[in-house]
Amino acid sequence: MTRQPVLHVTAKFLIPLIMLFALYVQFHGEYSPGGGFQAGVIFGAGLILYGLVFGVEQAQRVLPLGVLRVLAALGVLLYGGVGMVSLLAGQEFLDYGALSADPVAGQHLGILLVELGVGITVTAVMVIIFYVFAGREKT
Amino acid sequence: MSLLFEHYNYWVAIFLMMTGFYTVISRGNLVKQVVGLNIFQASVFIFYISLAYVDGGATPIVKEGVEVYANPLPHVLILTAIVVGIATTALGLALIVRIKEAYGTIEEDEIREADQRDGKDSDA
Amino acid sequence: MATAPRKTVSTGGAVVEHLIVVVLLALLASTAVAVIRLTNLFAVVMLFGIYSLLSASVFLVMNAGDVAFTEAAVGAGIATVLMLSTMALCAPREMPSRRNKPLRLLLVALTGAVLVWGTMDLPGFGDPSAPANQHVAPRYIQESPREIGIPNMVSSILASYRGFDTFGEVTVIFTAGLGVLMLLAGRRRKKGGEES
């Protein structure tokens, strides 16, 4: 990657903000617009910006493809796991009321966990897709 | 005339849909076809979201003093559809990259010609 | 026409909202036409990014904040990057197609006309009594703050009422990611090698 000071400095300023915003969207999604899908694509966009500016090799040193593969599966597992827990607690699949003595608190917890699972999977898949496209050499 | 004011959202969505449809059937370039499919897809999103729009309604987040909200259900459907859409678009683009590597072109006409040539070779 | 006369909300805000929607939709339509006509794929991809951003604005005006958010990040951000990287691997220009264009244009116009005819019975834009706004939506709007206890109805429907559906969607995204990995991340076959 050639040295492009303007791009580097701007990116270094923007990437933490984008990621912080993604986390806000993820965990404040119950009160303001947001949730796992939005947070996932925003966090993914931050990582993709890093890869674009500093090169895919550098990005892969920060977050290797193998880790992302595990994360993508982990998000789906977390979602399904919440469903299984409520199933084992004697309720229907994905009925979060079973997660806590108070049904409303259970819903809170369930939604938080499920959205986290969605966010992890979406982030990981978006960055995986970017890695394999950008890492492919032209024939 | 009132029909125009009450239905323009559907008509623009249909226009966009047909624009995407025309791109897919009249162009041979695979990347252009994927862009056409995405335009088609976005028109469906606009159709759904315009169905959810309620005059004088607010964004569906509970707020003191607000009684009319937009319909949140289509929002949920489209929200997930957008993210699923980009994932499937990426799959389509990945297929295009592989086609380019196998055939050396992403023009449908040339791919078909190459296939026919190969077919004749193997028949002979 | 089944649309019953309804009392129009004649506040200035609603009129301005409709005006903004009309302008944005007109911009969307012209962008879409430009996308068809251009043959430089770089310009096509950039215009498609603009198209996505415009549709995100339309969603925002139509009170769909969550959707606008997602479309802006996905369409203008990630989709553009992906299409540009595809183009970097493929040809940057489109070749003229030898297809019969007037016939296809006629087919598209006919389909569009049938669809427009189909909209005649649909409820008006922004009609609160439309069937789509009558079925389960009022229940979600009235009961979800009490049942789920969170203010954002989109989140509570997405994760709780329709949790099963969302589970499926997440699985689709995961599967699509796996598919891309399989197609592009594997070791490249040598040219003219063991192709069957």
Side-chain angles (χ1 to χ4, degrees):
Chain A
M1 205 92 204
T2 49
R3 284 203 58 79
Q4 287 164 321
V6 176
L7 266 182
H8 281 208
V9 170
T10 324
K12 272 184 182 159
F13 172 70
L14 277 178
I15 290 167
L17 285 182
I18 293 175
M19 289 182 171
L20 199 64
F21 182 59
L23 291 177
Y24 168 78
V25 168
Q26 171 82 54
F27 294 109
H28 204 258
E30 302 176 1
Y31 303 96
S32 57
F37 285 97
Q38 296 93 320
V41 287
I42 294 171
F43 206 87
L47 288 170
I48 289 173
L49 178 62
Y50 184 83
L52 281 177
V53 175
F54 296 95
V56 182
E57 294 81 18
Q58 175 66 25
Q60 294 215 13
R61 269 203 291 278
V62 177
L63 197 59
L65 192 60
V67 174
L68 285 173
R69 274 205 306 238
V70 173
L71 282 178
L74 202 70
V76 181
L77 273 178
L78 179 60
Y79 202 130
V82 172
M84 287 313 289
V85 168
S86 57
L87 203 63
L88 291 176
Q91 297 282 331
E92 284 158 7
F93 188 63
L94 291 172
D95 185 351
Y96 313 130
L99 296 178
S100 168
D102 175 21
V104 173
Q107 290 283 354
H108 263 281
L109 184 64
I111 290 176
L112 195 75
L113 288 174
V114 159
E115 295 267 25
L116 189 64
V118 173
I120 291 171
T121 295
V122 172
T123 307
V125 168
M126 291 300 142
V127 180
I128 285 174
I129 290 172
F130 169 71
Y131 277 180
V132 295
F133 268 94
R136 193 105 182 151
E137 279 156 33
K138 189 168 180 165
T139 40
Chain B
M1 203 57 191
S2 74
L3 204 63
L4 172 68
F5 288 123
E6 291 192 344
H7 287 68
Y8 68 88
N9 59 319
Y10 304 127
W11 297 343
V12 174
I14 289 170
F15 178 79
L16 293 175
M17 189 181 270
M18 289 305 114
T19 313
F21 183 35
Y22 180 69
T23 313
V24 173
I25 62 172
S26 76
R27 295 291 187 272
N29 186 292
L30 295 175
V31 172
K32 190 91 175 249
Q33 288 188 353
V34 169
V35 172
L37 277 176
N38 271 294
I39 289 178
F40 193 108
Q41 177 178 264
S43 80
V44 177
F45 298 163
I46 288 171
F47 177 70
Y48 263 68
I49 298 299
S50 69
L51 280 180
Y53 177 79
V54 173
D55 269 331
T59 305
I61 296 172
V62 176
K63 212 169 126 194
E64 287 291 317
V66 180
E67 276 167 14
V68 186
Y69 294 102
N71 184 350
L73 185 58
H75 294 184
V76 174
L77 301 178
I78 295 313
L79 175 59
T80 51
I82 289 175
V83 183
V84 170
I86 180 69
T88 48
T89 301
L91 197 63
L93 291 173
L95 282 172
I96 292 176
V97 170
R98 291 301 296 262
I99 288 172
K100 163 79 179 172
E101 286 169 4
Y103 287 86
T105 177
I106 53 168
E107 299 289 338
E108 221 178 76
D109 299 341
E110 291 175 7
I111 293 168
R112 197 165 293 144
E113 274 167 23
D115 271 348
Q116 276 163 358
R117 228 179 297 129
D118 286 356
K120 272 182 198 139
D121 287 354
S122 57
D123 287 346
Chain C
M1 308 302 113
T3 49
R6 63 190 161 99
K7 60 170 200 281
T8 43
V9 186
S10 56
T11 51
V15 174
V16 171
E17 249 174 38
H18 276 267
L19 266 180
I20 297 173
V21 170
V22 169
V23 170
L24 286 175
L25 287 180
L27 281 172
L28 259 181
S30 41
T31 316
V33 173
V35 167
I36 300 192
R37 296 183 58 88
L38 284 172
T39 53
N40 183 343
L41 289 178
F42 182 73
V44 167
V45 170
M46 280 319 184
L47 267 179
F48 181 68
I50 293 174
Y51 179 87
S52 288
L53 204 60
L54 280 171
S55 50
S57 326
V58 172
F59 298 151
L60 193 66
V61 179
M62 290 184 183
N63 294 324
D66 285 276
V67 185
F69 233 117
T70 321
E71 176 71 36
V74 164
I78 296 174
T80 312
V81 171
L82 284 185
M83 287 189 183
L84 284 179
S85 36
T86 310
M87 268 176 44
L89 297 168
C90 302
R93 283 199 82 83
E94 181 192 5
M95 308 264 281
S97 172
R98 290 189 292 272
R99 300 179 181 190
N100 184 351
K101 289 213 176 99
L103 183 72
R104 283 156 211 270
L105 200 60
L106 185 73
L107 179 70
V108 167
L110 272 177
T111 317
V114 171
L115 286 176
V116 168
W117 184 52
T119 64
M120 290 302 163
D121 284 345
L122 286 182
F125 181 40
D127 186 355
S129 60
N133 300 333
Q134 289 305 315
H135 185 46
V136 285
R139 187 182 181 281
Y140 287 148
I141 291 172
Q142 275 147 26
E143 299 295 321
S144 81
R146 191 180 55 78
E147 280 181 342
I148 314 291
I150 62 174
N152 187 351
M153 297 168 205
V154 175
S155 277
S156 51
I157 297 174
L158 181 104
S160 189
Y161 289 112
R162 298 184 66 90
F164 221 96
D165 186 18
T166 310
F167 187 44
E169 311 262 19
V170 176
T171 317
V172 171
I173 293 168
F174 177 65
T175 315
L178 279 187
V180 173
L181 263 177
M182 277 187 198
L183 281 169
L184 290 185
R187 206 163 294 143
R188 186 188 296 252
R189 224 182 299 168
K190 282 205 183 76
K191 269 228 144 173
E194 64 277 26
E195 280 184 350
S196 56

